[in-house]
Amino acid sequence: NCEIDESSFILLEEFSDGNTCPEIITRTYQIADLCGNTATCTQTITIDDNIEPIISCPADLSIDCIDDDIPPYASYSEFTDDGGLANDNCQIDESSFTLLSEEDDGLLCQNTVTRIYQISDLCGNTATCTQYIISNDVDGPTVVCPPALESICSISENPPYTDIQEFIEAGGTAVDNCAFDESSLTLTDEVSDGNTCPETITRTYR
């Protein structure tokens, strides 16, 4: 009603309610007139982060064999060392990093494992990213037949091998970069040269 003493304006006090997400801070300001009469007002500031973080998984992985061991990332540092990234408008809670789910499509060839990772910020807002691990064996096995055989009277003296165990015991080998299907050994062809004494019969196994 007379005149404000502008130089008397001060922040009288500031205190927090001690909570987080939201945290409420209360500030009290004071001013006086030229006769020293004072008045105060109170302002509240609410701090509440409700913005989700951003997370980006490392690149998808391609492996040869379904049983190749590619363990999930056990920590946020492993995740970032492999090319993962997460950031937030405030601050990431690195300890919250976790493998949220892992799903295998169950196929033997072109198998896909889907992993979803999650991370939070300090207010519990979460974000996820997805990484695929794809196995696709395109390399054929290698097979070497046992040594040549001799029969005296008839081919029946040396019947075809009926399983991989007989084949290997006779001196054959079969190897693969992943694993071969033992039940798949098959005699695909048996051809005679048409001669006698000697007659040569050629067997092809797959």
Side-chain angles (χ1 to χ4, degrees):
N1 61 322
C2 294
E3 188 175 350
I4 289 291
D5 178 8
E6 294 185 3
S7 66
S8 70
F9 176 79
I10 59 170
L11 172 64
L12 194 62
E13 63 177 2
E14 176 181 290
F15 66 90
S16 168
D17 64 1
N19 297 321
T20 55
C21 307
E23 174 188 9
I24 297 177
I25 294 174
T26 303
R27 289 174 177 163
T28 301
Y29 294 94
Q30 179 179 278
I31 200 166
D33 62 16
L34 293 180
C35 286
N37 302 302
T38 61
T40 60
C41 70
T42 300
Q43 182 187 46
T44 59
I45 299 102
T46 302
I47 302 173
D48 189 16
D49 174 20
N50 54 18
I51 299 176
E52 296 178 356
I54 296 172
I55 184 172
S56 176
C57 277
D60 296 338
L61 300 175
S62 294
I63 57 178
D64 289 331
C65 308
I66 191 172
D67 57 354
D68 285 350
D69 185 22
I70 307 292
Y73 303 112
S75 65
Y76 181 67
S77 60
E78 284 187 10
F79 178 82
T80 55
D81 287 346
D82 209 30
L85 177 67
N87 54 57
D88 188 66
N89 61 313
C90 293
Q91 187 175 347
I92 287 291
D93 178 9
E94 295 185 6
S95 67
S96 71
F97 176 78
T98 187
L99 173 66
L100 191 63
S101 67
E102 178 176 279
E103 183 176 343
D104 190 320
D105 66 9
L107 301 178
L108 289 178
C109 299
Q110 293 186 330
N111 171 261
T112 300
V113 174
T114 303
R115 290 175 176 161
I116 299 177
Y117 294 92
Q118 178 178 279
I119 200 164
S120 304
D121 61 18
L122 293 180
C123 281
N125 302 302
T126 62
T128 61
C129 69
T130 301
Q131 183 187 45
Y132 299 99
I133 298 94
I134 302 167
S135 62
N136 187 17
D137 177 16
V138 296
D139 297 320
T142 300
V143 62
V144 177
C145 281
L149 300 172
E150 290 186 1
S151 299
I152 296 174
C153 298
S154 168
I155 187 63
S156 63
E157 297 171 23
N158 292 292
Y161 307 111
T162 59
D163 58 43
I164 190 65
Q165 191 62 38
E166 285 185 8
F167 184 84
I168 292 173
E169 288 175 355
T173 60
V175 295
D176 187 67
N177 62 314
C178 295
F180 60 84
D181 178 7
E182 295 187 1
S183 67
S184 68
L185 180 70
T186 306
L187 175 66
T188 61
D189 200 11
E190 183 175 278
V191 179
S192 170
D193 64 359
N195 297 323
T196 56
C197 303
E199 175 190 11
T200 300
I201 295 173
T202 302
R203 288 174 174 161
T204 303
Y205 292 91
R206 180 177 64 198

